[in-house]
């Protein structure tokens, strides 16, 4: 997925993400992400639920591995 400044991470996309979480499995709602970006997106989505359920979520590393020197 693009970063907030519009860049793509450039890492190999290995995961299929639901753009809008839920049961819409149509191609229009799917995108290819690398594992890190997928985990970050899922964590942000889960964070909303975690605020309600107080379930602690594992957070991805703050720095994208493809961008590390
Ligand atoms: Zn990525």
């Amino acid at each position: 997925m693009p970063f907030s400044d519009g860049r793509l991470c450039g890492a190999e996309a290995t995961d299929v993400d639901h753009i809008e979480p839920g049961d819409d499995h149509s191609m229009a709602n799917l995108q290819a992400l690398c594992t890190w970006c997928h985990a970050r997106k899922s964590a942000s989505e889960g964070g909303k639920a975690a605020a309600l359920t107080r379930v602690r979520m594992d957070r991805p590393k703050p720095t994208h591995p493809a961008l590390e020197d």
Side-chain angles (χ1 to χ4, degrees), residues 23-43:
D23 295 325
D24 181 358
H25 305 300
S26 67
M27 288 301 294
N29 193 46
L30 299 177
Q31 62 182 343
L33 296 178
C34 79
T35 299
W36 186 91
C37 287
H38 192 199
R40 183 182 66 166
K41 181 173 184 291
S42 297

PDB file of all heavy atoms in Angstrom, residues 23-43:
ATOM      1  N   ASP A  23     -16.366  -9.173   4.319  1.00  0.00           N
ATOM      2  CA  ASP A  23     -16.634 -10.374   3.524  1.00  0.00           C
ATOM      3  C   ASP A  23     -16.672 -10.105   2.025  1.00  0.00           C
ATOM      4  O   ASP A  23     -17.128 -10.935   1.267  1.00  0.00           O
ATOM      5  CB  ASP A  23     -17.963 -10.994   3.961  1.00  0.00           C
ATOM      6  CG  ASP A  23     -17.890 -11.500   5.401  1.00  0.00           C
ATOM      7  OD1 ASP A  23     -16.806 -11.970   5.783  1.00  0.00           O
ATOM      8  OD2 ASP A  23     -18.897 -11.415   6.113  1.00  0.00           O
ATOM      9  N   ASP A  24     -16.231  -8.920   1.603  1.00  0.00           N
ATOM     10  CA  ASP A  24     -16.199  -8.617   0.170  1.00  0.00           C
ATOM     11  C   ASP A  24     -14.897  -9.141  -0.415  1.00  0.00           C
ATOM     12  O   ASP A  24     -13.839  -8.556  -0.213  1.00  0.00           O
ATOM     13  CB  ASP A  24     -16.311  -7.107  -0.043  1.00  0.00           C
ATOM     14  CG  ASP A  24     -16.314  -6.748  -1.528  1.00  0.00           C
ATOM     15  OD1 ASP A  24     -16.199  -7.666  -2.368  1.00  0.00           O
ATOM     16  OD2 ASP A  24     -16.425  -5.550  -1.840  1.00  0.00           O
ATOM     17  N   HIS A  25     -14.987 -10.288  -1.114  1.00  0.00           N
ATOM     18  CA  HIS A  25     -13.787 -10.899  -1.682  1.00  0.00           C
ATOM     19  C   HIS A  25     -13.657 -10.610  -3.172  1.00  0.00           C
ATOM     20  O   HIS A  25     -12.942 -11.314  -3.877  1.00  0.00           O
ATOM     21  CB  HIS A  25     -13.803 -12.413  -1.450  1.00  0.00           C
ATOM     22  CG  HIS A  25     -13.975 -12.781   0.003  1.00  0.00           C
ATOM     23  ND1 HIS A  25     -13.091 -12.390   0.985  1.00  0.00           N
ATOM     24  CD2 HIS A  25     -14.929 -13.481   0.632  1.00  0.00           C
ATOM     25  CE1 HIS A  25     -13.508 -12.861   2.155  1.00  0.00           C
ATOM     26  NE2 HIS A  25     -14.628 -13.509   1.975  1.00  0.00           N
ATOM     27  N   SER A  26     -14.349  -9.596  -3.667  1.00  0.00           N
ATOM     28  CA  SER A  26     -14.227  -9.234  -5.073  1.00  0.00           C
ATOM     29  C   SER A  26     -12.876  -8.578  -5.337  1.00  0.00           C
ATOM     30  O   SER A  26     -12.261  -7.996  -4.435  1.00  0.00           O
ATOM     31  CB  SER A  26     -15.363  -8.284  -5.479  1.00  0.00           C
ATOM     32  OG  SER A  26     -15.215  -7.040  -4.814  1.00  0.00           O
ATOM     33  N   MET A  27     -12.434  -8.664  -6.583  1.00  0.00           N
ATOM     34  CA  MET A  27     -11.129  -8.106  -6.931  1.00  0.00           C
ATOM     35  C   MET A  27     -11.052  -6.614  -6.614  1.00  0.00           C
ATOM     36  O   MET A  27      -9.986  -6.096  -6.281  1.00  0.00           O
ATOM     37  CB  MET A  27     -10.837  -8.335  -8.419  1.00  0.00           C
ATOM     38  CG  MET A  27     -10.536  -9.788  -8.765  1.00  0.00           C
ATOM     39  SD  MET A  27      -9.108 -10.458  -7.858  1.00  0.00           S
ATOM     40  CE  MET A  27      -7.785  -9.446  -8.545  1.00  0.00           C
ATOM     41  N   ALA A  28     -12.180  -5.917  -6.704  1.00  0.00           N
ATOM     42  CA  ALA A  28     -12.175  -4.475  -6.446  1.00  0.00           C
ATOM     43  C   ALA A  28     -11.833  -4.165  -4.994  1.00  0.00           C
ATOM     44  O   ALA A  28     -11.412  -3.048  -4.683  1.00  0.00           O
ATOM     45  CB  ALA A  28     -13.526  -3.882  -6.809  1.00  0.00           C
ATOM     46  N   ASN A  29     -12.001  -5.160  -4.128  1.00  0.00           N
ATOM     47  CA  ASN A  29     -11.726  -4.937  -2.703  1.00  0.00           C
ATOM     48  C   ASN A  29     -10.448  -5.622  -2.254  1.00  0.00           C
ATOM     49  O   ASN A  29     -10.164  -5.686  -1.075  1.00  0.00           O
ATOM     50  CB  ASN A  29     -12.913  -5.426  -1.850  1.00  0.00           C
ATOM     51  CG  ASN A  29     -12.805  -4.929  -0.411  1.00  0.00           C
ATOM     52  OD1 ASN A  29     -12.522  -3.762  -0.165  1.00  0.00           O
ATOM     53  ND2 ASN A  29     -13.015  -5.823   0.540  1.00  0.00           N
ATOM     54  N   LEU A  30      -9.667  -6.127  -3.211  1.00  0.00           N
ATOM     55  CA  LEU A  30      -8.426  -6.815  -2.852  1.00  0.00           C
ATOM     56  C   LEU A  30      -7.237  -6.049  -3.395  1.00  0.00           C
ATOM     57  O   LEU A  30      -7.299  -5.417  -4.450  1.00  0.00           O
ATOM     58  CB  LEU A  30      -8.426  -8.238  -3.421  1.00  0.00           C
ATOM     59  CG  LEU A  30      -9.548  -9.154  -2.931  1.00  0.00           C
ATOM     60  CD1 LEU A  30      -9.451 -10.497  -3.651  1.00  0.00           C
ATOM     61  CD2 LEU A  30      -9.485  -9.349  -1.429  1.00  0.00           C
ATOM     62  N   GLN A  31      -6.123  -6.100  -2.676  1.00  0.00           N
ATOM     63  CA  GLN A  31      -4.881  -5.511  -3.150  1.00  0.00           C
ATOM     64  C   GLN A  31      -3.720  -6.370  -2.660  1.00  0.00           C
ATOM     65  O   GLN A  31      -3.832  -7.032  -1.624  1.00  0.00           O
ATOM     66  CB  GLN A  31      -4.727  -4.073  -2.672  1.00  0.00           C
ATOM     67  CG  GLN A  31      -4.655  -3.933  -1.154  1.00  0.00           C
ATOM     68  CD  GLN A  31      -4.539  -2.494  -0.698  1.00  0.00           C
ATOM     69  OE1 GLN A  31      -4.197  -1.622  -1.479  1.00  0.00           O
ATOM     70  NE2 GLN A  31      -4.845  -2.247   0.572  1.00  0.00           N
ATOM     71  N   ALA A  32      -2.641  -6.338  -3.415  1.00  0.00           N
ATOM     72  CA  ALA A  32      -1.449  -7.090  -3.027  1.00  0.00           C
ATOM     73  C   ALA A  32      -0.553  -6.204  -2.171  1.00  0.00           C
ATOM     74  O   ALA A  32      -0.256  -5.069  -2.530  1.00  0.00           O
ATOM     75  CB  ALA A  32      -0.689  -7.539  -4.278  1.00  0.00           C
ATOM     76  N   LEU A  33      -0.151  -6.738  -1.033  1.00  0.00           N
ATOM     77  CA  LEU A  33       0.737  -6.016  -0.128  1.00  0.00           C
ATOM     78  C   LEU A  33       1.876  -6.925   0.285  1.00  0.00           C
ATOM     79  O   LEU A  33       1.727  -8.145   0.301  1.00  0.00           O
ATOM     80  CB  LEU A  33      -0.014  -5.593   1.144  1.00  0.00           C
ATOM     81  CG  LEU A  33      -1.165  -4.615   0.999  1.00  0.00           C
ATOM     82  CD1 LEU A  33      -1.797  -4.379   2.367  1.00  0.00           C
ATOM     83  CD2 LEU A  33      -0.705  -3.304   0.399  1.00  0.00           C
ATOM     84  N   CYS A  34       2.985  -6.334   0.668  1.00  0.00           N
ATOM     85  CA  CYS A  34       4.016  -7.135   1.306  1.00  0.00           C
ATOM     86  C   CYS A  34       3.551  -7.459   2.735  1.00  0.00           C
ATOM     87  O   CYS A  34       2.622  -6.846   3.260  1.00  0.00           O
ATOM     88  CB  CYS A  34       5.364  -6.407   1.312  1.00  0.00           C
ATOM     89  SG  CYS A  34       5.532  -5.147   2.585  1.00  0.00           S
ATOM     90  N   THR A  35       4.202  -8.434   3.341  1.00  0.00           N
ATOM     91  CA  THR A  35       3.769  -8.887   4.656  1.00  0.00           C
ATOM     92  C   THR A  35       3.793  -7.752   5.675  1.00  0.00           C
ATOM     93  O   THR A  35       2.899  -7.608   6.497  1.00  0.00           O
ATOM     94  CB  THR A  35       4.680 -10.032   5.131  1.00  0.00           C
ATOM     95  OG1 THR A  35       4.570 -11.108   4.197  1.00  0.00           O
ATOM     96  CG2 THR A  35       4.271 -10.538   6.505  1.00  0.00           C
ATOM     97  N   TRP A  36       4.840  -6.894   5.592  1.00  0.00           N
ATOM     98  CA  TRP A  36       4.975  -5.824   6.582  1.00  0.00           C
ATOM     99  C   TRP A  36       3.833  -4.823   6.459  1.00  0.00           C
ATOM    100  O   TRP A  36       3.223  -4.421   7.452  1.00  0.00           O
ATOM    101  CB  TRP A  36       6.321  -5.127   6.397  1.00  0.00           C
ATOM    102  CG  TRP A  36       6.623  -4.115   7.459  1.00  0.00           C
ATOM    103  CD1 TRP A  36       7.291  -4.344   8.627  1.00  0.00           C
ATOM    104  CD2 TRP A  36       6.259  -2.736   7.459  1.00  0.00           C
ATOM    105  NE1 TRP A  36       7.361  -3.179   9.338  1.00  0.00           N
ATOM    106  CE2 TRP A  36       6.741  -2.176   8.653  1.00  0.00           C
ATOM    107  CE3 TRP A  36       5.576  -1.921   6.554  1.00  0.00           C
ATOM    108  CZ2 TRP A  36       6.564  -0.837   8.969  1.00  0.00           C
ATOM    109  CZ3 TRP A  36       5.391  -0.583   6.883  1.00  0.00           C
ATOM    110  CH2 TRP A  36       5.881  -0.053   8.077  1.00  0.00           C
ATOM    111  N   CYS A  37       3.546  -4.402   5.204  1.00  0.00           N
ATOM    112  CA  CYS A  37       2.478  -3.421   5.004  1.00  0.00           C
ATOM    113  C   CYS A  37       1.127  -4.024   5.396  1.00  0.00           C
ATOM    114  O   CYS A  37       0.267  -3.343   5.951  1.00  0.00           O
ATOM    115  CB  CYS A  37       2.450  -2.957   3.550  1.00  0.00           C
ATOM    116  SG  CYS A  37       3.820  -1.856   3.126  1.00  0.00           S
ATOM    117  N   HIS A  38       0.947  -5.306   5.093  1.00  0.00           N
ATOM    118  CA  HIS A  38      -0.300  -5.963   5.450  1.00  0.00           C
ATOM    119  C   HIS A  38      -0.462  -6.011   6.962  1.00  0.00           C
ATOM    120  O   HIS A  38      -1.533  -5.724   7.506  1.00  0.00           O
ATOM    121  CB  HIS A  38      -0.310  -7.380   4.860  1.00  0.00           C
ATOM    122  CG  HIS A  38      -1.639  -8.052   4.908  1.00  0.00           C
ATOM    123  ND1 HIS A  38      -1.780  -9.406   4.788  1.00  0.00           N
ATOM    124  CD2 HIS A  38      -2.889  -7.539   5.067  1.00  0.00           C
ATOM    125  CE1 HIS A  38      -3.083  -9.708   4.876  1.00  0.00           C
ATOM    126  NE2 HIS A  38      -3.776  -8.590   5.040  1.00  0.00           N
ATOM    127  N   ALA A  39       0.625  -6.327   7.649  1.00  0.00           N
ATOM    128  CA  ALA A  39       0.572  -6.390   9.112  1.00  0.00           C
ATOM    129  C   ALA A  39       0.286  -5.019   9.697  1.00  0.00           C
ATOM    130  O   ALA A  39      -0.490  -4.879  10.647  1.00  0.00           O
ATOM    131  CB  ALA A  39       1.895  -6.929   9.656  1.00  0.00           C
ATOM    132  N   ARG A  40       0.896  -3.996   9.103  1.00  0.00           N
ATOM    133  CA  ARG A  40       0.676  -2.646   9.616  1.00  0.00           C
ATOM    134  C   ARG A  40      -0.787  -2.239   9.423  1.00  0.00           C
ATOM    135  O   ARG A  40      -1.412  -1.679  10.313  1.00  0.00           O
ATOM    136  CB  ARG A  40       1.594  -1.649   8.906  1.00  0.00           C
ATOM    137  CG  ARG A  40       1.451  -0.239   9.472  1.00  0.00           C
ATOM    138  CD  ARG A  40       2.331   0.742   8.738  1.00  0.00           C
ATOM    139  NE  ARG A  40       1.892   0.895   7.365  1.00  0.00           N
ATOM    140  CZ  ARG A  40       2.295   1.866   6.554  1.00  0.00           C
ATOM    141  NH1 ARG A  40       3.161   2.749   6.985  1.00  0.00           N
ATOM    142  NH2 ARG A  40       1.867   1.950   5.328  1.00  0.00           N
ATOM    143  N   LYS A  41      -1.320  -2.534   8.227  1.00  0.00           N
ATOM    144  CA  LYS A  41      -2.709  -2.169   7.953  1.00  0.00           C
ATOM    145  C   LYS A  41      -3.649  -2.949   8.864  1.00  0.00           C
ATOM    146  O   LYS A  41      -4.571  -2.378   9.449  1.00  0.00           O
ATOM    147  CB  LYS A  41      -3.032  -2.453   6.479  1.00  0.00           C
ATOM    148  CG  LYS A  41      -4.450  -2.079   6.081  1.00  0.00           C
ATOM    149  CD  LYS A  41      -4.630  -2.222   4.585  1.00  0.00           C
ATOM    150  CE  LYS A  41      -6.013  -1.755   4.143  1.00  0.00           C
ATOM    151  NZ  LYS A  41      -7.094  -2.634   4.602  1.00  0.00           N
ATOM    152  N   SER A  42      -3.384  -4.241   9.003  1.00  0.00           N
ATOM    153  CA  SER A  42      -4.242  -5.067   9.851  1.00  0.00           C
ATOM    154  C   SER A  42      -4.172  -4.612  11.307  1.00  0.00           C
ATOM    155  O   SER A  42      -5.176  -4.608  12.018  1.00  0.00           O
ATOM    156  CB  SER A  42      -3.838  -6.541   9.743  1.00  0.00           C
ATOM    157  OG  SER A  42      -4.029  -7.002   8.422  1.00  0.00           O
ATOM    158  N   ALA A  43      -2.981  -4.205  11.743  1.00  0.00           N
ATOM    159  CA  ALA A  43      -2.839  -3.754  13.126  1.00  0.00           C
ATOM    160  C   ALA A  43      -3.624  -2.470  13.357  1.00  0.00           C
ATOM    161  O   ALA A  43      -4.232  -2.285  14.410  1.00  0.00           O
ATOM    162  CB  ALA A  43      -1.367  -3.532  13.447  1.00  0.00           C
TER     163      ALA A  43
END
